[in-house]
Amino acid sequence: RPKIADPPKYKGAKQDTTLEQWLQKFTIWARYHGIVNEEQKIITALMYLEGGALQFMDDYALKASEGQSLGTWSDFVQRLMSGYRELAPEKSAQASLDEICRKKHSSIATFAEQFRRFATRTGFSDTELISRIDRQLPDAIVTIMVTVRQSFPWNIPTQWERYLDYSLHLESELRANKIPGVSYSTS
């Protein structure tokens, strides 16, 4: 049986993993390890809480250490969510995407990897996301896109994910053909 990594520790606010992501990872990990009893799941989850999150759940930790009933997993999750669920996930994703778009990237591939992490959660339209992608494209790709838009506008994808893939394809073609005088980094 393959080994899977332990879930990360959850500290609360200001970390890369949201509570929802942590719960998903923890639940999969617990199920894989046969931890299905609700009290055992709560006790194990407490062992993966740190900092503010553990302090927020200190009444559960106290009950667990004293051998008292811990209730249901659902109640435990609801309590944790009341303190740490992301209240405005769209706004958080938008802020993260803005930060990514302000940075200079060595390639579209590097940009795309980070961009995809947040783009789907922003609530932005395809047009808005494509506009943000355009600002990251090197001049050589912008020139190609303008030319294609003028001659064959139906060839330019209107869904941001396909547009990004199209941009990656163009970057790959430019790099493979090593066109002299073409800068491949974004400006």
Side-chain angles (χ1 to χ4, degrees), residues 57-75:
M57 301 300 281
D58 65 349
D59 58 324
Y60 273 92
L62 182 63
K63 285 180 184 178
S65 68
E66 293 176 352
Q68 295 179 22
S69 173
L70 300 175
T72 67
W73 173 251
S74 178
D75 289 342

Side-chain angles (χ1 to χ4, degrees), residues 135-153:
R135 286 179 245 157
Q136 292 292 323
L137 299 178
D139 292 343
I141 294 178
V142 170
T143 302
I144 293 169
M145 290 284 207
V146 168
T147 303
V148 173
R149 269 195 191 101
Q150 290 172 348
S151 305
F152 309 100

